[in-house]
Amino acid sequence: MSGGTGEAPLRVAVADDEPLARERLRALLASEPDVALVAEASSGAEAVREVLTHAPDVLLLDIEMPAGDGFEVLRALPPEAVPVVVFVTAWQRYAVQAFEAQALDYLLKPYDRERFRAALARARQQVELVRRADARPRQEALLSGLALAEVPPRRLPVKEDGVIRFVDCAAITHAEAEANYVRVHTAGGQHVLRETLTRLEERLDVRRFVRVHRSVLVNLDHVRELEPLSQGEYLLVLDTGTAVRTGRAHRARVEQALGLGPGDPGAR
């Protein structure tokens, strides 16, 4: 590859569950100038953690991995924290879905060195554009995402009637802000927490809970269906039958979290 960015090295992360595949990528990256391999992951969950921790410019991402496939990795990341993505996979059938997920390139195994270098060159160009456009807001988002990713609890302690009860986070369907309190809903009832919705959002698993409105947080696992409304809003129907209206400002995040692409019904 000719020339570098003239700025910082290109920071690359690799996520692939096959040790030999990672070894090959390491070797190819080592032969490139101005490239730093900053993280490796062998599962989807590990990939999310490594991206949030190391903030790579480029993510070379396998699709079929344990603990979350490549698409789940992208959905789990805050939009601002998603690096330039090049899928590296042995499966041709995911190509359309990959580009719908805003991937820059799609390397189909087995690929040769020249094909790899072409993909990396495209990624480098994209990173240069991102750096020139706006670097500081992205870094702030990454730091915010890292805070969100800190070991989410499995249960929430709730003080009620003089005792502390523990609510299974997986059972939470949604949570609503009420001034400085939060009303947490499950299929079995409601609980009131003495904290803000923002603080609760920071504590919960970012891969599962998404802010769909400034005052509502929803557990994606409990979304049964979605109805597009006018002016960029959606009506989410939960498996409890509860309907939740999303905010226009949260549309992009909702669509990404639910895996909606430009060609899906109701999506942009």
Side-chain angles (χ1 to χ4, degrees):
M1 176 177 293
S2 62
T5 61
E7 302 175 349
L10 189 69
R11 295 163 50 79
V12 180
V14 169
D16 197 312
D17 63 329
E18 299 177 11
L20 289 178
R22 295 199 304 275
E23 182 179 341
R24 173 167 167 72
L25 289 172
R26 277 199 302 271
L28 290 169
L29 290 170
S31 66
E32 297 295 323
D34 299 329
V35 171
L37 177 61
V38 297
E40 288 189 37
S42 59
S43 70
E46 191 177 2
V48 172
R49 184 168 59 250
E50 293 300 315
V51 168
L52 293 174
T53 301
H54 297 283
D57 299 310
V58 179
L59 176 61
L60 303 179
L61 181 61
D62 190 14
I63 292 181
E64 294 198 348
M65 294 186 291
D69 64 28
F71 300 111
E72 290 173 321
V73 169
L74 299 185
R75 287 196 292 271
L77 292 170
E80 301 85 354
V82 177
V84 173
V85 174
V86 175
F87 278 107
V88 185
T89 177
W91 303 99
Q92 188 172 7
R93 64 174 179 265
Y94 295 115
V96 173
Q97 188 178 353
F99 287 112
E100 288 177 349
Q102 307 303 313
L104 180 73
D105 208 338
Y106 194 86
L107 274 179
L108 190 62
K109 301 175 184 175
Y111 52 86
D112 59 26
R113 178 183 294 272
E114 291 309 309
R115 179 67 181 88
F116 174 81
R117 297 182 74 181
L120 196 63
R122 292 189 64 201
R124 187 191 298 277
Q125 292 173 353
Q126 184 65 26
V127 170
E128 288 179 357
L129 291 175
V130 171
R131 285 175 175 172
R132 290 170 185 167
D134 195 352
R136 285 178 297 178
R138 181 170 181 269
Q139 182 64 27
E140 292 170 357
L142 288 167
L143 293 174
S144 174
L146 180 59
L148 292 173
E150 289 179 352
V151 193
R154 188 171 60 84
R155 300 189 299 173
L156 283 179
V158 180
K159 188 174 183 180
E160 294 174 323
D161 303 325
V163 299
I164 296 177
R165 298 187 173 93
F166 293 91
V167 178
D168 186 351
C169 293
I172 297 173
T173 59
H174 64 295
E176 298 175 290
E178 294 185 359
N180 291 324
Y181 294 82
V182 175
R183 186 174 299 276
V184 172
H185 298 262
T186 69
Q190 303 177 14
H191 308 274
V192 176
L193 301 179
R194 294 186 177 184
E195 65 181 19
T196 65
L197 189 65
T198 297
R199 174 57 187 142
L200 177 62
E201 183 180 15
E202 291 173 351
R203 295 171 61 189
L204 295 174
D205 189 344
V206 296
R207 296 167 298 181
R208 174 173 290 161
F209 289 89
V210 172
R211 185 80 74 102
V212 301
H213 187 279
R214 63 182 173 82
S215 61
V216 183
L217 192 65
V218 163
N219 185 342
L220 297 175
D221 292 344
H222 289 281
V223 175
R224 186 179 70 197
E225 61 187 45
L226 155 154
E227 177 184 345
L229 303 177
S230 61
Q231 301 181 337
E233 299 172 330
Y234 289 111
L235 195 66
L236 301 180
V237 180
L238 309 182
D239 53 15
T240 56
T242 300
V244 176
R245 192 184 189 102
T246 68
R248 278 179 290 176
H250 297 75
R251 174 172 179 148
R253 175 166 294 206
V254 170
E255 290 176 344
Q256 183 179 31
L258 293 173
L260 292 175
D264 292 318
R268 290 171 293 184

